[in-house]
mmCIF file of all heavy atoms in Angstrom:
data_model
loop_
_atom_site.group_PDB
_atom_site.id
_atom_site.type_symbol
_atom_site.label_atom_id
_atom_site.label_comp_id
_atom_site.label_asym_id
_atom_site.label_seq_id
_atom_site.Cartn_x
_atom_site.Cartn_y
_atom_site.Cartn_z
ATOM 1 N N SER A 1666 126.330 100.149 87.001
ATOM 2 C CA SER A 1666 127.290 99.942 85.914
ATOM 3 C C SER A 1666 128.728 99.947 86.416
ATOM 4 O O SER A 1666 129.594 99.283 85.845
ATOM 5 C CB SER A 1666 127.108 101.032 84.854
ATOM 6 O OG SER A 1666 127.470 102.307 85.371
ATOM 7 N N LEU A 1667 128.996 100.689 87.501
ATOM 8 C CA LEU A 1667 130.345 100.732 88.036
ATOM 9 C C LEU A 1667 130.701 99.471 88.806
ATOM 10 O O LEU A 1667 131.830 98.977 88.723
ATOM 11 C CB LEU A 1667 130.511 101.957 88.946
ATOM 12 C CG LEU A 1667 130.503 103.335 88.272
ATOM 13 C CD1 LEU A 1667 130.649 104.424 89.316
ATOM 14 C CD2 LEU A 1667 131.621 103.437 87.237
ATOM 15 N N THR A 1668 129.749 98.953 89.569
ATOM 16 C CA THR A 1668 130.038 97.808 90.446
ATOM 17 C C THR A 1668 129.569 96.479 89.883
ATOM 18 O O THR A 1668 129.955 95.430 90.405
ATOM 19 C CB THR A 1668 129.365 98.041 91.815
ATOM 20 O OG1 THR A 1668 127.951 98.147 91.622
ATOM 21 C CG2 THR A 1668 129.899 99.312 92.461
ATOM 22 N N ASP A 1669 128.725 96.518 88.841
ATOM 23 C CA ASP A 1669 128.133 95.302 88.295
ATOM 24 C C ASP A 1669 127.443 94.505 89.393
ATOM 25 O O ASP A 1669 127.568 93.289 89.501
ATOM 26 C CB ASP A 1669 129.205 94.443 87.600
ATOM 27 C CG ASP A 1669 128.575 93.386 86.683
ATOM 28 O OD1 ASP A 1669 127.372 93.563 86.352
ATOM 29 O OD2 ASP A 1669 129.250 92.420 86.335
ATOM 30 N N ASN A 1670 126.711 95.231 90.251
ATOM 31 C CA ASN A 1670 126.060 94.628 91.417
ATOM 32 C C ASN A 1670 124.723 95.336 91.643
ATOM 33 O O ASN A 1670 124.634 96.552 91.502
ATOM 34 C CB ASN A 1670 126.963 94.765 92.644
ATOM 35 C CG ASN A 1670 126.426 93.962 93.825
ATOM 36 O OD1 ASN A 1670 125.423 93.284 93.711
ATOM 37 N ND2 ASN A 1670 127.110 94.068 94.952
ATOM 38 N N ILE A 1671 123.702 94.576 91.988
ATOM 39 C CA ILE A 1671 122.376 95.169 92.189
ATOM 40 C C ILE A 1671 121.965 95.047 93.664
ATOM 41 O O ILE A 1671 120.790 94.901 93.984
ATOM 42 C CB ILE A 1671 121.333 94.498 91.277
ATOM 43 C CG1 ILE A 1671 121.883 94.320 89.870
ATOM 44 C CG2 ILE A 1671 120.058 95.330 91.180
ATOM 45 C CD1 ILE A 1671 120.909 93.676 88.910
ATOM 46 N N SER A 1672 122.908 95.100 94.560
ATOM 47 C CA SER A 1672 122.590 94.994 95.977
ATOM 48 C C SER A 1672 121.988 96.308 96.493
ATOM 49 O O SER A 1672 122.117 97.364 95.869
ATOM 50 C CB SER A 1672 123.856 94.661 96.770
ATOM 51 O OG SER A 1672 124.795 95.713 96.672
ATOM 52 N N ILE A 1673 121.331 96.224 97.640
ATOM 53 C CA ILE A 1673 120.701 97.399 98.243
ATOM 54 C C ILE A 1673 121.739 98.469 98.564
ATOM 55 O O ILE A 1673 121.493 99.665 98.403
ATOM 56 C CB ILE A 1673 119.948 96.998 99.526
ATOM 57 C CG1 ILE A 1673 118.747 96.106 99.172
ATOM 58 C CG2 ILE A 1673 119.460 98.233 100.267
ATOM 59 C CD1 ILE A 1673 117.710 96.790 98.313
ATOM 60 N N GLY A 1674 122.907 98.043 98.991
ATOM 61 C CA GLY A 1674 123.951 99.014 99.318
ATOM 62 C C GLY A 1674 124.370 99.859 98.131
ATOM 63 O O GLY A 1674 124.726 101.021 98.275
ATOM 64 N N VAL A 1675 124.319 99.270 96.945
ATOM 65 C CA VAL A 1675 124.738 99.990 95.740
ATOM 66 C C VAL A 1675 123.662 100.974 95.291
ATOM 67 O O VAL A 1675 123.954 102.112 94.926
ATOM 68 C CB VAL A 1675 125.074 98.991 94.616
ATOM 69 C CG1 VAL A 1675 125.350 99.726 93.309
ATOM 70 C CG2 VAL A 1675 126.287 98.147 95.007
ATOM 71 N N ILE A 1676 122.405 100.533 95.329
ATOM 72 C CA ILE A 1676 121.334 101.378 94.784
ATOM 73 C C ILE A 1676 120.689 102.273 95.838
ATOM 74 O O ILE A 1676 119.819 103.077 95.506
ATOM 75 C CB ILE A 1676 120.245 100.501 94.137
ATOM 76 C CG1 ILE A 1676 119.543 99.649 95.196
ATOM 77 C CG2 ILE A 1676 120.849 99.628 93.065
ATOM 78 C CD1 ILE A 1676 118.388 98.835 94.641
ATOM 79 N N SER A 1677 121.103 102.164 97.107
ATOM 80 C CA SER A 1677 120.438 102.934 98.163
ATOM 81 C C SER A 1677 120.612 104.437 97.972
ATOM 82 O O SER A 1677 119.699 105.216 98.258
ATOM 83 C CB SER A 1677 120.983 102.517 99.536
ATOM 84 O OG SER A 1677 122.376 102.761 99.610
ATOM 85 N N GLY A 1678 121.796 104.862 97.491
ATOM 86 C CA GLY A 1678 122.030 106.292 97.306
ATOM 87 C C GLY A 1678 121.052 106.903 96.319
ATOM 88 O O GLY A 1678 120.460 107.970 96.569
ATOM 89 N N GLY A 1679 120.849 106.242 95.189
ATOM 90 C CA GLY A 1679 119.897 106.732 94.200
ATOM 91 C C GLY A 1679 118.463 106.684 94.693
ATOM 92 O O GLY A 1679 117.653 107.574 94.392
ATOM 93 N N LEU A 1680 118.136 105.639 95.469
ATOM 94 C CA LEU A 1680 116.783 105.542 96.013
ATOM 95 C C LEU A 1680 116.503 106.660 97.004
ATOM 96 O O LEU A 1680 115.411 107.242 97.017
ATOM 97 C CB LEU A 1680 116.586 104.178 96.688
ATOM 98 C CG LEU A 1680 116.485 102.963 95.761
ATOM 99 C CD1 LEU A 1680 116.407 101.682 96.569
ATOM 100 C CD2 LEU A 1680 115.259 103.090 94.860
ATOM 101 N N TYR A 1681 117.489 106.966 97.856
ATOM 102 C CA TYR A 1681 117.335 108.083 98.786
ATOM 103 C C TYR A 1681 117.053 109.377 98.026
ATOM 104 O O TYR A 1681 116.125 110.123 98.349
ATOM 105 C CB TYR A 1681 118.586 108.250 99.635
ATOM 106 C CG TYR A 1681 118.578 107.458 100.924
ATOM 107 C CD1 TYR A 1681 119.534 106.495 101.189
ATOM 108 C CD2 TYR A 1681 117.606 107.697 101.892
ATOM 109 C CE1 TYR A 1681 119.532 105.769 102.371
ATOM 110 C CE2 TYR A 1681 117.584 106.981 103.077
ATOM 111 C CZ TYR A 1681 118.554 106.014 103.312
ATOM 112 O OH TYR A 1681 118.532 105.312 104.482
ATOM 113 N N GLN A 1682 117.883 109.649 97.022
ATOM 114 C CA GLN A 1682 117.726 110.885 96.261
ATOM 115 C C GLN A 1682 116.359 110.924 95.572
ATOM 116 O O GLN A 1682 115.680 111.959 95.570
ATOM 117 C CB GLN A 1682 118.838 111.001 95.223
ATOM 118 C CG GLN A 1682 118.768 112.284 94.400
ATOM 119 C CD GLN A 1682 119.975 112.440 93.493
ATOM 120 O OE1 GLN A 1682 121.000 111.787 93.700
ATOM 121 N NE2 GLN A 1682 119.872 113.300 92.523
#
Side-chain angles (χ1 to χ4, degrees):
S1666 67
L1667 290 179
T1668 61
D1669 196 18
N1670 189 2
I1671 316 180
S1672 64
I1673 292 298
V1675 173
I1676 66 176
S1677 60
L1680 288 175
Y1681 270 120
Q1682 181 173 343

